[in-house]
Amino acid sequence: MTDTETKRYTRADFQSDQEVRWCPGCGDYTILASMQTFLAEVGLDREKVVFVSGIGCSSRFPYYMSTYGFHGIHGRAPAIASGIALANPGLSVWVITGDGDALSIGGNHIIHAMRRNLNIKVLLFNNQIYGLTKGQFSPTSEFGKRTKSSPSGALGRPFNPVSLALGAEATFVARTIDMDRPHTIEVLRRAYQHRGAAFIEIYQNCNVFNDKAFAELTGKEDRLANRINLQHGKPVVFGPNQERGVVLGASGARIVDVAEVGLEALHVHDEHAPDPSAAFALSRLSHGPHGPTPMGVFRDVQRSLYEDDLQRQVSDAQGGRGPADLTELIRQTGTWTIN
Amino acid sequence: MTDTETKRYTRADFQSDQEVRWCPGCGDYTILASMQTFLAEVGLDREKVVFVSGIGCSSRFPYYMSTYGFHGIHGRAPAIASGIALANPGLSVWVITGDGDALSIGGNHIIHAMRRNLNIKVLLFNNQIYGLTKGQFSPTSEFGKRTKSSPSGALGRPFNPVSLALGAEATFVARTIDMDRPHTIEVLRRAYQHRGAAFIEIYQNCNVFNDKAFAELTGKEDRLANRINLQHGKPVVFGPNQERGVVLGASGARIVDVAEVGLEALHVHDEHAPDPSAAFALSRLSHGPHGPTPMGVFRDVQRSLYEDDLQRQVSDAQGGRGPADLTELIRQTGTWTIN
Amino acid sequence: MPDETPTLEQESVDHVRIRFAGDSGDGMQLAGARFTDASAIFGNDLATLPSYPAEIRAPAGTIAGVSSFQVHIADSDILTPGDNPDVLVAMNPAALRANLADLAPAGTIVVNRDAFDERNLERAGYTTNPLRDGSLRGYTVIEVPMEEMTREAVKDTGITGRGVLRSKNFFALGLMIWMFSRPLEPTLEWIKATFAKDEAVMRANEAALRAGYNFGLNTEQFRHTYQVRPAKLKPGVHANVTGNQTVAWGLVAAAQAARLPLLYSSYPITPASDILHELSRYQRLGVRTFQAEDEIAAIGVALGASFGGNLGVTGTSGPGLALKSETMSLAVMTELPLLIIDVQRGGPSTGLPTKTEQADLLMALYGRHGEAPLPVLAIASPGDAFGTMIEAARIALKYMTPVIVLSDGYIANSAEPWLLPNLDALPDISVPFVTGPNSDGKFMPYLRDAQTLARGWAVPGTPGLEHRVGGLEKEDVTGAVSYTPANHEKMVLLRERKIAGIADDIPAVVVDADEGADLLVVGWGSTYPAISAGVRQARGRGAKVARAHLRHLNPFPRNLGEVLRRYRQVLVPELNRGHLARLLRAEFLVDAIGMSKVQGMPFKTFEIEEKIVEMTRP
Amino acid sequence: MPDETPTLEQESVDHVRIRFAGDSGDGMQLAGARFTDASAIFGNDLATLPSYPAEIRAPAGTIAGVSSFQVHIADSDILTPGDNPDVLVAMNPAALRANLADLAPAGTIVVNRDAFDERNLERAGYTTNPLRDGSLRGYTVIEVPMEEMTREAVKDTGITGRGVLRSKNFFALGLMIWMFSRPLEPTLEWIKATFAKDEAVMRANEAALRAGYNFGLNTEQFRHTYQVRPAKLKPGVHANVTGNQTVAWGLVAAAQAARLPLLYSSYPITPASDILHELSRYQRLGVRTFQAEDEIAAIGVALGASFGGNLGVTGTSGPGLALKSETMSLAVMTELPLLIIDVQRGGPSTGLPTKTEQADLLMALYGRHGEAPLPVLAIASPGDAFGTMIEAARIALKYMTPVIVLSDGYIANSAEPWLLPNLDALPDISVPFVTGPNSDGKFMPYLRDAQTLARGWAVPGTPGLEHRVGGLEKEDVTGAVSYTPANHEKMVLLRERKIAGIADDIPAVVVDADEGADLLVVGWGSTYPAISAGVRQARGRGAKVARAHLRHLNPFPRNLGEVLRRYRQVLVPELNRGHLARLLRAEFLVDAIGMSKVQGMPFKTFEIEEKIVEMTRP
Ligand SMILES: Cc1ncc(C[n+]2csc(CCOP(=O)(O)OP(=O)(O)O)c2C)c(N)n1
Ligand SMILES: Cc1ncc(C[n+]2csc(CCOP(=O)(O)OP(=O)(O)O)c2C)c(N)n1
Ligand code: SF4
Ligand code: SF4
Ligand SMILES: [Mg+2]
Ligand SMILES: [Mg+2]
């Protein structure tokens, strides 16, 4: 049978029979479409894919996928996903989470998932607001943001999710935006190809409670001025005519005019750099995002997979002989026989 | 009365009447002594100081201080401390925590404490092991470490606490080591002077379950070879004859021979750099620690204090007139009168 | 042009129940709330029941997306929003379909005819048009082309595009205001104040409101209007309040009465979030709120604030209460005052997040490891919340203990008129901090008041009282860590006796007695209106039945056992599977019978009534 | 040199209780465990009770730092470690002072005389030397210069400095081995195997052991040795086991019996950590363990593993169980098999972390928001753990439900001889995964087995069965999200009935009856040995008393109500403030009387015995 080779999926194959229930205009729709398109393109079998989520608007995602799914509780998706990945390393496990779910209540699980490097892909739908609970500030909301729970302005500095993931030893870190479907699909593909934990921040517009939070990256002109598309092995340039660039110095990353410093002075992006410092410096270029903002893959390095390491320990312990015997084990602790 | 001016404390003034109950030889003793010495030197009044801890060997610390203290539950000290700081901004609030308490169960509270920037000082006693529960690996234990719960080796990459704090928007980040009391005291002083949240990693020897984890920084020769003492405004040099140094490049921080590159090429440490990228790059020099390891203050920048911002909002709302009236507030929601 | 008005009968009725129903996007909650306020100001007694879909927006036009708001107005005191509406306003087919079964026999249906097109009918699951197929026979159906009329009404207000139809809820509201003879002015004023920033919207809403009103005035479809005269409410200033609002106000009042700064630390969760939202707006009263990273941090911050000398309060719903469990146990051990509010919702797990239920009671009592008793109180209605919060704070401070207060989704969101108490005459519930040594020149943190068994509260910053608290077992009096067997038992018993002793300091349970009754109905929390009304109705049908309602669930009032044993039958209606019944049985060995409903909705009056009638049948 | 032995009487006794006591650093746990093993191999029945200070090392020589290990050996079946030791080995003054009160009248004290210097006496709080001041009159006191002798013994073994005195526990052990006529060989072998890597230590320990043995042999201080003959244990292979060990083995066996891979996900916490440690060493059996970042993650991983088709298990103690509450509720809603082990310790809060208690029972039953019933089982003894784990797994899999298993600190750490079951004859508790459509060519995730009401378990990777689970209320059969009132009630009742129905699938409670008894003693968990022994003793004194012990605490065995009602009095001894008593009262309306002890320690036999005698006095 050459059936599997000729098997072709369409986007529709990944749509479940559930009505999609986000607000009209919500960025979640676009990301859903990108995901379904991506899965059809890469040709993954439905039964091999599991979507795990927490609680939030974004966390309804699994219901709309025709794959396996687990709509968990608030903040705990990374733990549930880790269990699934441990139980069955053959699955493709995706975590869908929001800025509140991942970075407020679930922050600890996220950073541990990154350092452990199980093969789970975390998609953080960052709308910089709590959507489901109708509009409180989140840990990525800007300082001073007025919301239901902060009528005179949110306090504290928001997290920069990319910086946080890099500080937590993540092996794959990327950023994309709902509106840009080809870019989203490309980032999903890269995350999928990465053997290990992946952290993907997706800027997602909540048109009801935080409309236009990412306008600086979506408006026609703004977009040209502000999007820095990271490309491996290329100097970091951007702007309508690629006339601006990024240099890395002792005080971090800096925006320059290419004409002034020359192309050679620009930072050449290296996704695979073992040291995350350059990626971290790039992540500091914008916070919010405001002004020029790097998009794409910040970091993609190889590190042994938790599941593989564990499997290796088990195999080593069994010395290739398969599971030992419980009786034998108990007897080794010291037994005596009464006749 | 000039009483307050002549008031002098000694270390003994900060010792409580409780017997100190760590294992003989534990690094915690030294840190306790450093803290008591520091408090006496800086002349803080006992009643103005609060120590808050979680659970762990290190978390017994508050019992041994003659100040106010709160021995909390595992991982939650930053939350309790934040409440105390909010209730009474005049206090000096210190969190004592371990690598398990702070980075395993309490990771989320720590990173949020950093981004919020309340005036609390977090001292993380990092012995890279669970002491109190008798020797399981912690999130800072090295890969492959054999412990009670990892007889064939711990999996996952350990956190680098300094990197993590920097990725979480900390305004003050430092590292010191139990054995070096003057250095510890100096770092405590700097943390105290910093108006904001402080994160201090203290390498602490657990001689019972993880002896000599920091030998590379304590042995006479090793110490000379490996300790990089960060000094603000100075080029980063180290080694027995200050013959080695650190340069910062596009691929992060690198160790060089000063003779080879020249003093001018070295990175000049700037604690107050608004961008944490250089501090982050320095934090990547060692992981574990193995080899040359920066010690001292990585970052010390000013950002508005959470408590101050909150107080300002309240004052603004009151428009200088003091608290408004509940009756008035209720009436504003719409009332009617029945006679 | 009142002079052109066709002559209409004005029928006087003692009460009427109206349900506004439409798509989530149709603004039905707003229409209902405005109608309620207009009626409140008019002087009616009233009760409301909002109901909306789970948090996510369902697709427009579907049953899942229907949102409704029922309001009951009356000329005498009423208790519940009413089981069956007399009038149903249905903005689309789905709203009609979802609510028709509840409509009272021969009730009136006011429909937005324009929404009954094929697409909407299909979305609602209708195969034929109910307006045409005779299925509404027996009801009075009034078809109104609301969209057309709204469009017409707003055309000169500057509003365009999608915005045009947004005002149609005001059209419906105007029509109802006319139909029930309410004054227009309060609503007009509200519109002016609320939409001050967007004049086009303001004018559109006003125009739509007037158009609806005038439509009633001018249309022959309406045979008569209704008049519900003002009720004889207690004299004084009234406000129309929801439970989340009165919880917030009660907390502010409690802090004032305790002379303490209030710190409310919470993590948003439906249906408790509005308490956070309310309190966040009270900075001018000196209130500080803290949105924590999760529920565990939220209670940790509140407990820290209490240690620091504030009135520390945290609020949440079931899933959050579960997360706070470990820290509550710490609060029990450290014996610090702390309020924990649980606005219960449908469970288990995420369950029915926007629906009401009472299934957290046993968790409130027992959901902690080790022996960790603490007082539990419950709120009976929005108006009752204010006093309950002050009572909870009084107990927390006087006995140095965490206190759980149970509310629920129904109390949180439904509204009732409430007589403002005299806020200048709040009880003094303040408890002085310890300021000096309490034992031979020394400070003993666990030295207890002989009567209350409360320890002293010494806050950081006080010279000479430096001490340490924590979660390890405490030595009696000194508060030092102690692992001694006898001390542990002593402390477990002391903590238990302290809480049990509160029974002497709370009012005895009052029975709404009935000469000759041998059935007692016992309730707690939000079942109050339904049980009271059900008892009233049953008595009207000749049943002999007594009634008691508990605010204090731990400890119980001292006389409760005696009261229970007076009756041959004890019925305990609860929105759970028998929590209170179980507690009464274990505590008093009385054969309390549970009456259970777990549908995410309050009891209906008739359900209670029927059950009583059945149980009292000779 | 046996021929030089002075003639001694060898007294034969049927049982003896020995307590080794010393400073935490003195290695008493090791000495006790070795003595136990030597006795086990010799064929005695036995029971042990280790006791050590809270986790932090206390200063050497103080009462707080005393660690002890009691072992009871007998020639017939015994149940408890015994209330009062016959022999006390005291390595220092603090050990003597802390344990003397427990010593049986006229008991024997073996002291390490060298430790009775001024410094140690003072540290222990003695003002005079008890060896000299006559306060030990009435006991047989044997003073042994253990340090001097140990120093002498090890001098040629290459051990130096601080290491020298480390071997003194082996000296004490050798002496006891001699005194109680155990063979030396098993201990010598154990030393060889254990210290293979450090020859100096190995030789020092061996030398000290022999020196202790020979000291007994050669000293006139000892008037006689004792002989406790082998017990008539059931024939077969025995192991000396602690509860944490048998829990671990039981889990491995359960996974085998279920034909599922085992994933144990946990966060370390006293006294549950050893389960994690044990299982971590079983990689060669295919066992995988996961040390999570906290207890919430631990259960999340276990639940995810269950969804993925593993036997997901998590284990913890009280504070951790509190944290797992929200996720347990999710497990109830998603109806996935999951085992949750709670090794109870003294509470509330951090409490007495190394002590035992049974105060988590009500939390296990009710500590979740919403109606979230699940089965609860309890382990009665180390040996009982094995079977209980298999039973718990059977229920979890057959009924697709999380199951809580309660152990406690006493069971976890004390040891008893245990007859190895035939592991090749384990019951088959496997439940096949769903592999294809189950309803008209479709897969309905919430379609239930008509009898068990369990839904099907379809694991990711299975083509065609793609489905979604989660915490929102599920529609019956389809498992789609549903907010419908009637469906919610239906599902609440279905989940309740499913768990309640398990009562038909568990053994009836067996009464250890007694002709004419009108008192029934009901126990659960680790009180088993004390209650059984207490009942036995009371009967010996003529009391008529029946006894029952519950393994299943939710649901209760079907016949329990009927059993309870057979007796005029029901006594429920518990290491808490009356949890089971409360449950029995609420469920069966019987006047069950609690007998409570909360001292971080098990009941003593005589406490139960006296209570029974008192209650049965005519
Ligand atoms: C334990 C718990 N706490 C709180 C909530 C309420 N809650 C649900 S989603 C959410 C935050 C949603 O924000 P985010 O994660 O950013 O997702 P979004 O809705 O914006 O996609 C909160 C606070 C909950 N369901 N459970
Ligand atoms: C909720 C909870 N989980 C687990 C524990 C057990 N526990 C106590 S301390 C600790 C870890 C200690 O390690 P660390 O924080 O590094 O402190 P150290 O003892 O090394 O100073 C653990 C797991 C607990 N007390 N509470
Ligand atoms: S509230 Fe915001 S995030 Fe949620 S569905 Fe609506 S638009 Fe999307
Ligand atoms: S176990 Fe380790 S960290 Fe704990 S007191 Fe002993 S030496 Fe110190
Ligand atoms: Mg969000
Ligand atoms: Mg540690």
Side-chain angles (χ1 to χ4, degrees), chain C residues 535-557:
Chain C
V535 164
R536 196 187 278 180
Q537 310 263 77
R539 284 179 184 159
R541 289 167 65 185
K544 296 259 164 236
V545 54
R547 189 188 59 78
H549 206 79
L550 300 178
R551 172 188 269 186
H552 294 92
L553 295 162
N554 192 42
F556 287 130

Side-chain angles (χ1 to χ4, degrees), chain B residues 213-233:
Chain B
F214 309 104
E216 293 185 42
L217 292 174
T218 52
K220 241 194 204 127
E221 277 167 36
D222 280 347
R223 181 172 51 196
L224 282 176
N226 291 328
R227 266 190 73 153
I228 308 178
N229 286 317
L230 297 176
Q231 286 183 287
H232 178 65

Side-chain angles (χ1 to χ4, degrees), chain A residues 76-157:
Chain A
R76 316 304 173 187
I80 297 171
S82 298
I84 296 171
L86 283 168
N88 190 342
L91 301 170
S92 173
V93 182
W94 300 77
V95 169
I96 306 292
T97 180
D99 41 324
D101 195 60
L103 298 180
S104 198
I105 194 166
N108 201 31
H109 307 306
I110 293 285
I111 58 178
H112 279 270
M114 291 306 123
R115 78 167 186 87
R116 281 203 193 97
N117 204 37
L118 273 115
N119 196 20
I120 60 179
K121 319 297 173 187
V122 176
L123 308 189
L124 193 165
F125 291 27
N126 184 3
N127 55 14
Q128 304 185 341
I129 197 83
Y130 287 4
L132 188 68
T133 47
K134 311 202 165 167
Q136 300 83 9
F137 66 95
S138 90
T140 58
S141 297
E142 67 273 18
F143 181 89
K145 186 180 197 76
R146 289 171 195 269
T147 69
K148 276 193 189 146
S149 56
S150 60
S152 34
L155 303 181
R157 182 174 173 83

Side-chain angles (χ1 to χ4, degrees), chain D residues 157-195:
Chain D
T157 58
I159 209 88
T160 53
R162 285 229 218 144
V164 170
L165 285 184
R166 286 244 174 84
S167 298
K168 69 172 181 285
N169 55 338
F170 282 94
F171 183 93
L173 176 60
L175 186 54
M176 289 299 105
I177 285 180
W178 173 79
M179 191 165 168
F180 293 97
S181 320
R182 324 272 82 187
L184 260 184
E185 286 63 39
T187 312
L188 286 169
E189 272 164 32
W190 183 89
I191 290 176
K192 273 215 189 77
T194 308
F195 302 104

Side-chain angles (χ1 to χ4, degrees), chain B residues 44-63:
Chain B
L44 262 170
D45 293 330
R46 280 204 293 247
E47 71 270 18
K48 301 254 170 66
V49 183
V50 188
F51 283 89
V52 185
S53 64
I55 302 286
C57 291
S58 36
S59 288
R60 302 284 300 223
F61 199 95
Y63 291 118

Side-chain angles (χ1 to χ4, degrees), chain B residues 21 74 136-137 149 152, chain D residues 56-57 267 277 283 291 293:
Chain B
R21 294 193 173 179
H74 200 30
Q136 300 84 11
F137 66 94
S149 56
S152 35
Chain D
I56 284 276
R57 318 243 147 156
Y267 185 70
H277 304 159
Q283 290 186 327
Q291 181 176 310
E293 58 271 30

Side-chain angles (χ1 to χ4, degrees), chain D residues 211-264:
Chain D
Y213 192 90
N214 293 338
F215 180 83
L217 214 55
N218 298 319
T219 314
E220 306 217 350
Q221 278 199 44
F222 291 87
R223 281 203 322 277
H224 50 221
T225 62
Y226 301 85
Q227 170 73 303
V228 182
R229 255 183 283 271
K232 286 214 181 49
L233 295 177
K234 289 215 187 99
V237 180
H238 286 72
N240 187 33
V241 295
T242 65
N244 277 341
Q245 229 170 10
T246 38
V247 163
W249 296 345
L251 286 173
V252 175
Q256 269 175 27
R259 325 235 180 292
L260 291 173
L262 175 66
L263 187 92
Y264 185 76

Side-chain angles (χ1 to χ4, degrees), chain C residues 344-347 355-359 408 575 598-600, chain D residues 370-371 488:
Chain C
Q344 301 163 95
R345 65 189 216 186
K355 307 290 177 187
T356 200
E357 202 157 283
Q358 297 186 296
D408 65 28
L575 300 175
V598 275
Q599 301 186 0
Chain D
E371 298 295 353
H488 177 48

